[in-house]
């Protein structure tokens, strides 16, 4: 039975471009796991979108002197372009600024309210008399009253990670300039303290498969501080309207932390609606309900790919929202009464640094995703980011290591192996796989194929557990085993003495490479697809990405989608059944060797 796998990836803020740290932190690991499950024939839905609301976006718009909508769309379009280039295969990458997301977020808000988890409370907030408005969180900076950090936001300190009470901030100053005064304002709060026992139970039930740093941090924080009520509205005129009369009119919106995570639910719903718009008759209503296979299905597995700065939102706050809403959400949204599925795993990554320093966009200390693609192939970048993925601790992008690993591992161990054997077969067997008698294969041939066949279990088990470095390491070990086999059998010289012997070797090596192509495919999808073509197969390994314009009452937004196409629900995750005599296509090199000079050129670009 195919499994339903939801790959939910952190929603990037529309206020900066995406760098390699963001890619290895969430988008790439999510894509690798999605591609693996698709190859296995599972039903995968991979979603995310641009976080278009919130003060990071309004501040960026103020800074650029442009309307917020224009600024969010500029970054959003750049994200779509980047994901296509890197092969990050979202079934839907959308935005939070859609009519659908508004509706779903409002239904969630109302469900929590009806279930008694919301209350209103008055508090003090910084107000700007000159611009006649409240200034939320990032608009006011000051010194943290807990750790003394001077650049703390009024609602949160990025240095010690604590939520702050705005009125206690030391030396508050407005980002807009001008005077500040404290005024009373009223907001809705989510009563997380009531949900604390459920959240603890939720985490403890996942202790067998959640990463230790993720579980440790989440439970530790609850033990130390408890879950406290948190405001879910604020004084801002850009964002999701509050579904209670009078509140939106008073210049308040739903708080971005509360609604952005709801995107994991609203995006599948939008995806279903878009699927059904291409259907006719009865299939339409069935199509628009397709999201339920991942969301109203206790068997479905939901994976959240995020960076470590977002752990608490995904392991504690989002599950609390879901558990608090319970069956009420569906009752409000779809006149049905079933609880929503809870996350299965939150394989959060730690951070990637760059040449020993923290990545910083504002200081130009970054490798930008789109820029890197103008000089390097996506699989070379994906390879380095996977072998160096910060799964359990912070890692570092080092240009000399990038060049070394590309040349010594990707090119020398894997690329040359595939190219050398395919070219040899193409030349000496007139563009065909040697037509050998399979019963005549020698022990050494059978042993190699058995080792490769076992790789599907070993690599698959690591991928299921989201141990991506280990999974790729296993696949690379198998490529080394094929190289050793060729050293022992030496078909390049054997062909001059015993063509039959060389044919057995080349057939065996080709079959091993045909299998390795699948084992590498989740990590290196572009080159595995090319290699698949060299072998003469007609059905591709993967579908295609494309963009589409979607219009609703808020306007038009562009989305990135994934079309399964010819692949259908074919399962490719199995050892090769390569036929002797199969026609090959003209092979070529898969990867490029990089010059040592790249290291200095790239280092010179940093910090500018
Ligand atoms: Zn602090």
């Amino acid at each position: 039975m195919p499994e339903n796998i939801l790959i939910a990836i952190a929603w990037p803020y529309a206020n900066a471009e995406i760098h390699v740290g963001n890619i290895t932190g969430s988008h790439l690991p999510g894509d690798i796991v999605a591609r693996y499950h698709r190859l296995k024939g599972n039903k995968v839905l991979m979603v995310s979108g641009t976080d278009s609301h919130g003060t990071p976006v309004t501040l960026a718009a103020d800074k650029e002197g442009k309307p917020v909508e224009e600024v969010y769309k500029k970054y959003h379009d750049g994200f779509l372009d980047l994901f296509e280039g890197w092969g990050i295969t979202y079934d839907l990458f959308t935005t939070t600024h859609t009519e659908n997301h508004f509706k779903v977020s409002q239904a969630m808000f109302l469900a929590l309210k009806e279930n008694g988890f919301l209350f209103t409370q008055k508090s003090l907030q910084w107000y700007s008399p000159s611009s006649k408005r409240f200034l939320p969180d990032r608009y006011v900076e000051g010194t943290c009253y807990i750790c003394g950090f001077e650049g703390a936001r009024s609602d949160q300190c990025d240095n010690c990670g604590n939520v702050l009470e705005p009125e206690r901030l030391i030396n508050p100053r407005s980002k807009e300039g001008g005077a500040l005064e404290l005024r009373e304002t009223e907001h809705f709060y989510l009563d997380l303290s009531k949900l604390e026992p459920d959240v603890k139970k939720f985490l403890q039930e996942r202790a067998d498969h959640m990463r230790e740093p993720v579980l440790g941090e989440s439970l530790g924080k609850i033990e130390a501080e408890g879950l406290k009520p948190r405001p879910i509205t604020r004084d801002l005129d850009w964002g999701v309207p509050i579904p209670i009369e009078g509140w939106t009119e008073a210049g308040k919106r739903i708080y971005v932390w509360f609604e952005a995570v709801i995107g994991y639910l609203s995006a599948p719903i939008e995806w279903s609606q878009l699927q059904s718009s291409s259907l006719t008759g009865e299939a339409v209503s069935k199509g628009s309900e397709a999201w339920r296979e991942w969301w109203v299905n206790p068997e479905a597995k939901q994976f959240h790919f995020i960076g470590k700065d977002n752990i608490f939102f995904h392991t504690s706050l989002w599950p609390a929202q879901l558990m608090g809403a319970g069956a009420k959400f569906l009752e409000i949204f779809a006149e049905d009464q079933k609880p929503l599925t809870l996350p299965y795993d939150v394989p959060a990554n730690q951070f990637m640094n760059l040449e020993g320093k923290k990545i910083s966009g504002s200081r130009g200390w970054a490798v930008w995703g789109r820029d890197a693609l103008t000089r390097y192939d996506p699989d070379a970048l994906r390879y380095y980011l996977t072998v160096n993925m910060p799964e359990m601790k912070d890692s570092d992008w080092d240009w000399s290591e990038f060049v070394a690993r590309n040349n010594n591992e990707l090119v020398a161990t894997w690329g040359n192996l595939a190219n050398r054997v395919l070219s040899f077969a193409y030349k000496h067997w007139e563009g065909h796989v040697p037509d050998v008698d399979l019963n005549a294969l020698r022990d050494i041939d059978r042993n190699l194929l058995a080792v490769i066949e076992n790789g599907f279990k070993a690599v698959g088990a690591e991928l299921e557990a989201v141990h991506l470095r280990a999974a790729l390491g296993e696949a690379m070990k198998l490529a080394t085993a094929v190289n050793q086999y060729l050293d022992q059998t030496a078909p390049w010289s054997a062909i001059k003495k015993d063509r039959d012997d060389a044919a057995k070797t080349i057939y065996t090596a080709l079959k091993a490479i045909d299998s390795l192509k699948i084992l590498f495919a989740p990590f290196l999808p572009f080159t595995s697809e090319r290699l698949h073509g060299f072998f003469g197969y007609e059905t591709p390994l993967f579908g295609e990405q494309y963009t589409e314009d979607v219009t609703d009452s808020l306007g038009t937004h562009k989305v990135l989608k994934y079309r399964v196409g010819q692949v259908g629900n074919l399962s490719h995750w199995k050892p090769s059944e390569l036929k002797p005599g199969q026609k090959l296509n003209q092979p070529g090199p898969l990867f490029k060797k990089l010059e040592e000079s790249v290291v200095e050129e790239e280092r010179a670009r940093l910090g500018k």
Side-chain angles (χ1 to χ4, degrees):
M1 260 296 274
E3 284 188 284
N4 286 86
I5 309 284
L6 181 78
I7 305 289
I9 299 179
W11 291 53
Y13 266 134
N15 71 333
E17 292 235 11
I18 290 176
H19 56 64
V20 290
N22 307 131
I23 296 172
T24 196
S26 58
H27 307 286
L28 178 60
D31 181 66
I32 291 169
V33 174
R35 286 182 184 268
Y36 161 69
H37 282 289
R38 289 194 191 112
L39 285 168
K40 266 191 88 182
N42 285 330
K43 295 174 95 171
V44 173
L45 187 61
M46 172 163 144
V47 294
S48 182
T50 298
D51 190 339
S52 319
H53 302 139
T55 50
V57 188
T58 55
L59 274 171
D62 289 351
K63 207 172 142 196
E64 297 181 26
K66 287 180 187 149
V68 194
E69 200 147 344
E70 192 183 319
V71 169
Y72 111 68
K73 281 188 174 160
K74 180 187 81 178
Y75 287 108
H76 176 72
D77 289 354
F79 296 164
L80 301 189
D81 188 44
L82 181 149
F83 296 138
E84 262 192 295
W86 279 73
I88 308 290
T89 47
Y90 284 107
D91 288 282
L92 183 72
F93 187 91
T94 179
T95 128
T96 52
H97 201 66
T98 69
E99 187 184 331
N100 169 68
H101 180 71
F102 281 23
K103 275 189 192 155
V104 176
S105 301
Q106 290 168 342
M108 184 67 79
F109 184 101
L110 292 173
L112 285 160
K113 186 166 180 290
E114 285 186 30
N115 284 344
F117 291 108
L118 301 191
F119 63 87
T120 57
Q121 189 178 297
K122 291 191 171 128
S123 65
L124 293 172
Q125 175 80 48
W126 294 106
Y127 184 86
S128 160
S130 56
S131 53
K132 294 191 179 59
R133 59 170 183 167
F134 283 101
L135 295 181
D137 50 77
R138 287 170 205 249
Y139 278 83
V140 178
E141 277 186 0
T143 305
C144 172
Y145 55 85
I146 297 171
C147 74
F149 176 61
E150 287 182 1
R153 284 147 50 184
S154 67
D155 67 331
Q156 192 178 323
C157 174
D158 286 335
N159 187 50
C160 64
N162 283 296
V163 173
L164 304 180
E165 291 167 46
E167 68 271 25
R168 293 181 63 193
L169 197 70
I170 303 163
N171 295 330
R173 53 193 180 271
S174 165
K175 279 228 169 168
E176 300 180 328
L180 285 172
E181 61 183 59
L182 281 169
R183 280 202 190 176
E184 197 178 63
T185 181
E186 189 174 24
H187 284 293
F188 275 96
Y189 284 71
L190 174 59
D191 195 351
L192 289 159
S193 54
K194 279 192 194 164
L195 290 158
E196 186 178 312
D198 293 329
V199 173
K200 270 168 116 170
K201 187 165 164 271
F202 161 85
L203 287 166
Q204 280 150 358
E205 282 170 1
R206 283 154 182 77
D208 62 328
H209 60 263
M210 265 196 181
R211 285 181 185 171
E212 199 285 317
V214 177
L215 195 68
E217 182 187 320
S218 308
L219 281 170
K221 196 171 163 78
I222 296 174
E223 288 298 329
E225 303 163 16
L227 284 178
K228 294 191 195 102
R230 222 176 150 108
I232 63 165
T233 58
R234 66 174 162 179
D235 298 283
L236 195 66
D237 55 10
W238 171 249
V240 180
I242 300 164
I244 307 288
E245 217 191 305
W247 284 73
T248 304
E249 294 77 359
K252 297 168 200 276
R253 294 290 184 276
I254 298 181
Y255 212 136
V256 72
W257 75 261
F258 178 86
E259 53 101 344
V261 281
I262 297 173
Y264 302 126
L265 172 61
S266 69
I269 293 173
E270 184 183 357
W271 172 82
S272 296
Q273 289 163 352
L274 296 177
Q275 295 300 100
S276 70
S277 67
S278 60
L279 303 172
T280 51
E282 238 178 78
V284 174
S285 60
K286 240 178 120 184
S288 65
E289 298 296 310
W291 62 277
R292 288 170 180 253
E293 290 186 51
W294 292 270
W295 268 107
V296 194
N297 173 7
E299 302 299 315
K301 278 188 185 164
Q302 301 191 352
F303 292 86
H304 285 270
F305 289 88
I306 56 162
K308 69 174 165 187
D309 51 335
N310 267 322
I311 288 176
F312 188 60
F313 287 95
H314 291 79
T315 57
S316 305
L317 302 185
W318 176 228
Q321 283 173 251
L322 289 169
M323 288 187 281
K328 193 59 104 180
F329 170 81
L330 219 53
E331 192 185 315
I332 293 169
F333 188 76
E335 293 171 359
D336 192 355
Q337 275 201 334
K338 287 192 188 91
L340 297 171
T341 307
L342 297 174
Y344 170 77
D345 196 6
V346 183
N349 275 340
Q350 307 297 301
F351 286 159
M352 173 174 267
N353 295 317
L354 171 59
E355 299 274 338
K357 284 193 230 167
K358 209 176 156 181
I359 295 179
S360 160
S362 57
R363 288 199 299 272
W365 198 261
V367 177
W368 301 107
R370 283 205 287 173
D371 179 56
L373 273 187
T374 62
R375 297 187 294 283
Y376 307 101
D377 291 332
D379 279 0
L381 295 163
R382 289 174 65 114
Y383 180 76
Y384 183 60
L385 286 182
T386 308
V387 294
N388 212 0
M389 202 167 265
E391 290 179 339
M392 300 299 278
K393 56 178 188 344
D394 289 355
S395 66
D396 189 52
W397 175 294
D398 179 291
W399 279 109
S400 70
E401 198 199 1
F402 171 75
V403 170
R405 287 206 177 235
N406 179 78
N407 292 353
N408 304 339
E409 297 170 14
L410 201 54
V411 176
T413 306
W414 172 228
N416 286 354
L417 167 68
N419 188 38
R420 198 158 56 128
V421 175
L422 273 160
S423 303
F424 194 71
Y426 197 81
K427 179 175 166 202
H428 291 278
W429 282 272
E430 290 82 38
H432 290 81
V433 174
D435 196 5
V436 295
D437 173 5
L438 295 181
N439 294 317
L441 291 183
R442 304 153 301 187
D443 283 349
I444 188 171
D445 309 327
R446 291 179 202 285
N447 289 343
L448 178 76
L449 293 174
V451 167
I452 302 290
E453 194 166 333
N454 281 331
F456 283 84
K457 275 197 213 96
V459 178
E462 298 289 10
L463 280 162
E464 305 260 341
V466 200
H467 299 154
L468 307 186
R469 292 171 70 140
L472 182 53
E474 278 296 326
M476 203 46 107
K477 253 197 276 178
L478 296 172
T480 302
V482 182
N483 280 313
Q484 287 163 347
Y485 163 85
L486 288 171
D487 288 344
Q488 286 167 22
T489 48
W492 342 108
S493 53
I495 192 154
K496 292 173 204 140
K497 293 172 280 184
D498 188 339
R499 192 176 158 85
D500 251 20
D501 231 38
K504 285 172 196 161
T505 302
I506 290 300
Y507 172 79
T508 302
L510 281 172
K511 190 167 174 172
I513 291 164
D514 196 25
S515 284
L516 280 172
K517 164 198 86 188
I518 300 293
L519 298 176
F520 279 119
F523 310 96
L524 310 172
F526 295 95
T527 45
S528 281
E529 193 74 86
R530 275 186 69 211
L531 186 49
H532 189 64
F534 296 158
F535 272 98
Y537 295 109
E538 275 161 19
T539 313
L541 295 177
F542 295 111
E544 303 153 345
Q545 296 180 273
Y546 63 102
T547 58
E548 193 174 291
D549 281 331
V550 180
T551 302
D552 63 16
S553 63
L554 298 180
T556 300
H557 63 282
K558 205 191 241 187
V559 297
L560 180 64
K561 294 187 72 186
Y562 179 75
R563 188 188 288 123
V564 176
Q566 278 180 283
V567 187
N569 41 17
L570 214 69
S571 168
H572 280 291
W573 191 263
K574 54 182 186 229
S576 159
E577 288 163 10
L578 187 65
K579 287 186 188 63
Q582 179 165 312
K583 193 173 172 338
L584 299 169
N585 287 319
Q586 174 80 54
L590 296 174
F591 306 101
K592 291 186 201 105
K593 197 165 178 257
L594 296 171
E595 297 298 331
E596 281 299 324
S597 57
V598 160
V599 179
E600 286 320 309
E601 282 162 27
E602 291 293 350
R603 284 181 178 156
R605 285 179 212 273
L606 296 176
K608 289 197 175 136

